[in-house]
């Protein structure tokens, strides 16, 4: 499920959907055990010969060549929105987590405190009989509190405190509040307030006027009405309230910043005294909100999206209390739907996954519960996962590859013709300041103050969300912990954090197919090497370039160099903006070249760096580049492995949403989009200049 409302400040991840419920993918082998069909997920090998379509010409369409047989071999399972290598590994890892959790849930008295927590969290989530039996009783207190607000001005004056309480328990209503590193002084952790409160993925979902967009809004409105009805509301009243909620959210959407603009750090940084912010939203009592959400008192905050709050205040004033109460009630039901009786869970799935993403069936309960533990207690679960599934020598090999790729970037900077000597000095300073984090944190998070009960699915989530909320807000005003991770160890993803200036690779992605110990360097540099290069290049994409070695937003480029950089990135904006991602009855959707620019820059630069690093490593180790394995030379294996990172089989609904919301291009464009700009590619496959994959005008930033 893909809900909005969370504040996402500046983590440049490798792919869509970070922690909870990555809505994607897998390779399943059916085995019959004891009469029951059980799905066993197996990893895709690092070099996947079964996906190669040798009848395709690599110089004409490299994706078709490297991945041409993937879709036929990997039909999309009914419980997934698509299949790719990330999804395959996500399934393998989820299966591993489930094994750990099943054991921990069965546990008994010998369990460690962490085992008790992860086991009981899982057990409570799995106990659907008890969940059904309890009905709405676990959320009754908060629903009563909402209903208890008086109508009119007195009720509205009491809203801030309640909004704070709701947000603390993970119900993201009206706007967002959290903590971030100060963009302009990365040693400081500050409060941030931002737009939010929408149930559809992004503002334009409320505003576009195509037939498909109108249909989604009608389905969303019907979904809200259905949820309210399931909670006992009269159908006619629920229908009216749903219409009011959609109108309210549409007004908020109009006052919100778009996804492309949100990528510009200058546009989302407005540090100001809290008193000034409070004056701008008068007569709203922000102090009561802060009390509700358990925030420390703050003298200043980042008003991330300043145009939003006047609109929010105006709309709350103009909207009747009945609608606002229904809006909060709906959001409580929606946030806890997976832990409420089946009808709520099914209805939420039906809108967010089936209608919006085209996924026919709900993921099985064990997958969802395993991943909910990963979201709530990711480092307690991750500790066990790492001990069982992360081979000790993987870390050393990863560090060696990271070192090789950073050395390649050093050389790459030296060789840039367009960059001045002055900017090069600063670029290297930044490169040498990058911290490398591999696998898992040095110091594990302490969950001892979080209470988990085996028979309280709703309460467990409520307390876990409050625990995480408090942990985040407690950072305000304290020194930055550079050892902290923004992803849990089992996550199949990676990220660059511009304020930390670090690259992070969780143990979850350091597995086949991305890192395969049984494969040669060519394959691993093509797979995980390109991922490392991707994250490193994020430090130097259109967003990352604005932060310096210490993680501060400060312009270290000469104006002339920035101009040249922008001319180079414009080439990528045009290239990717030319790709048609969806071509169906509901209308063509093109890739947004500006929204995806940072990711595309990272893909292109990352591949250049990984190849440079590979060649250097192969030279040092005396590898014969012309020797063939599986029928391909080493350079060919490198590029095939890279492209296979992006083999996919996706449903059009999912691709449509991704293109509209996500800064990552759809998978298969990430293969060819980068290949056409690679200086080493033509030689590896003996392609002629002018072939589709070796265009005369290619793009090159890094
Ligand atoms: Zn990225």
């Amino acid at each position: 499920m893909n809900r909005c409302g969370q504040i996402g400040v500046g983590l440049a991840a490798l792919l869509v959907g970070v922690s909870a419920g990555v809505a994607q993918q897998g390779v399943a082998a059916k085995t019959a055990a004891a009469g029951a069909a059980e799905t066993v997920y197996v990893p895709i090998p690092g070099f996947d010969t079964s996906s190669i379509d040798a009848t395709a010409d690599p110089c004409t369409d490299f994706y078709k060549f490297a991945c041409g047989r993937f879709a036929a071999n990997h039909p999309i399972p009914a419980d997934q929105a698509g299949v790719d290598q990330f999804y395959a590994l996500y399934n393998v890892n989820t299966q591993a987590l489930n094994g750990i959790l099943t054991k921990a849930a069965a546990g008994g008295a010998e369990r460690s405190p962490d085992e008790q927590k992860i086991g009981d969290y899982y057990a409570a989530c799995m106990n659907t009989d008890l969940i059904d039996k309890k009905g709405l009783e676990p959320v009754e207190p908060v629903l009563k509190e909402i209903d208890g607000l008086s109508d009119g001005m007195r009720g509205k004056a009491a809203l801030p405190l309640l909004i704070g309480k709701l947000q603390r328990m993970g119900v993201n209503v009206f706007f967002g509040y959290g903590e971030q590193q100060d963009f302009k002084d990365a040693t400081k952790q500050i409060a941030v307030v931002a737009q939010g409160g929408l149930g559809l993925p992004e503002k334009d979902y409320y505003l576009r006027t195509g037939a498909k967009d109108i249909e989604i809004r009608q389905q969303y409105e019907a979904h809200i009405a259905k949820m309210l009805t399931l909670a006992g509301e009269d159908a006619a009243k629920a229908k009216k309230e749903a219409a009011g909620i959609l109108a309210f959210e549409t007004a908020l959407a109009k006052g919100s910043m778009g996804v492309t603009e949100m990528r510009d750090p200058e546009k989302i940084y407005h540090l100001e005294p809290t008193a000034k912010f409070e004056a701008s939203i008068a007569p709203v009592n922000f102090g009561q909100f802060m009390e509700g959400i358990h925030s420390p008192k703050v003298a200043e905050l980042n008003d991330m999206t300043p145009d939003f709050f006047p609109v929010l205040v105006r709309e709350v004033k103009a909207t009747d209390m009945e609608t606002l109460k229904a809006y909060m009630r709906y959001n409580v039901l929606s946030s806890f739907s997976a832990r409420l009786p089946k009808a709520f869970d099914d209805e939420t799935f039906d809108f967010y996954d089936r209608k919006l993403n085209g996924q026919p069936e709900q993921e099985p309960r064990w997958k969802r519960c395993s991943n909910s533990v990963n979201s709530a207690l990711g480092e307690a679960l991750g500790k066990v996962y790492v001990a069982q599934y992360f081979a000790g020598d993987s870390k050393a090999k990863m560090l060696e590859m990271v070192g090789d790729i950073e050395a390649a970037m050093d050389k790459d900077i030296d060789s840039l013709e367009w960059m001045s000597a002055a900017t090069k000095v600063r670029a290297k300073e930044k490169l040498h300041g990058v911290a490398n984090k591999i696998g898992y944190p040095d110091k594990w998070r302490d969950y001892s103050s979080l209470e988990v009960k085996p028979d309280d699915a709703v309460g467990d989530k409520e307390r876990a969300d409050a625990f995480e909320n408090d942990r985040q807000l407690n950072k305000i005003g304290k020194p930055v912990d550079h050892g902290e991770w923004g992803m849990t160890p089992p996550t199949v993803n990676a990220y660059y954090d511009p304020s930390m200036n670090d690259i992070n690779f969780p143990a979850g992605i350091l597995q086949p197919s991305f890192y395969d110990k049984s494969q040669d360097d060519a394959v691993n540099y093509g797979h995980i090497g390109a991922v490392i290069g991707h994250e490193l290049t994020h430090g130097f994409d259109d967003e990352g370039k604005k932060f310096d070695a210490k993680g501060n937003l400060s312009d270290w480029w000469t104006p002339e160099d920035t101009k040249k950089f922008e001319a180079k990135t414009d080439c990528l904006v045009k290239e990717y903006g030319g790709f048609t991602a969806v071509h169906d009855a509901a209308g063509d959707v093109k890739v947004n070249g500006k929204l995806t620019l940072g990711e595309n820059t990272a893909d292109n630069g990352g591949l250049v760096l990984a190849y440079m690093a590979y060649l250097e490593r192969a030279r040092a180790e005396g590898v014969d580049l012309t020797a063939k394995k599986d029928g391909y030379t080493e350079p060919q294996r490198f590029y095939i492995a890279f492209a296979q990172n992006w083999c996919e089989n996706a449903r059009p609904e999912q691709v449509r949403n991704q293109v509209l919301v996500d800064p990552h291009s759809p998978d298969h464009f990430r293969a060819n989009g980068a290949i056409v700009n690679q200086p080493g590619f033509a030689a590896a496959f003996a392609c002629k200049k002018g072939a589709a994959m070796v265009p005369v005008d290619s793009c090159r930033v890094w």
Side-chain angles (χ1 to χ4, degrees), residues 513-552:
S513 57
F514 298 94
Y515 173 61
D516 187 343
K517 278 204 289 190
S518 71
Q519 294 288 344
D520 45 4
D521 279 346
V523 166
N524 283 320
Y525 278 71
H527 262 302
I528 197 73
V531 170
I532 298 168
H534 172 105
E535 300 308 340
L536 192 61
T537 307
H538 267 314
F540 303 87
D541 68 15
D542 59 318
E543 187 179 345
K545 82 176 267 289
K546 296 179 175 166
F547 292 83
D548 66 16
K550 295 203 156 72
N552 293 325

Side-chain angles (χ1 to χ4, degrees), residues 429-450:
E429 223 175 86
K430 173 153 187 180
L431 171 65
H432 299 150
V434 172
N436 307 315
K437 280 150 68 180
I438 313 283
Y440 52 91
D442 292 334
K443 190 171 158 257
W444 295 101
R445 193 164 298 164
D446 174 10
Y447 293 100
S448 54
S449 66
L450 172 59

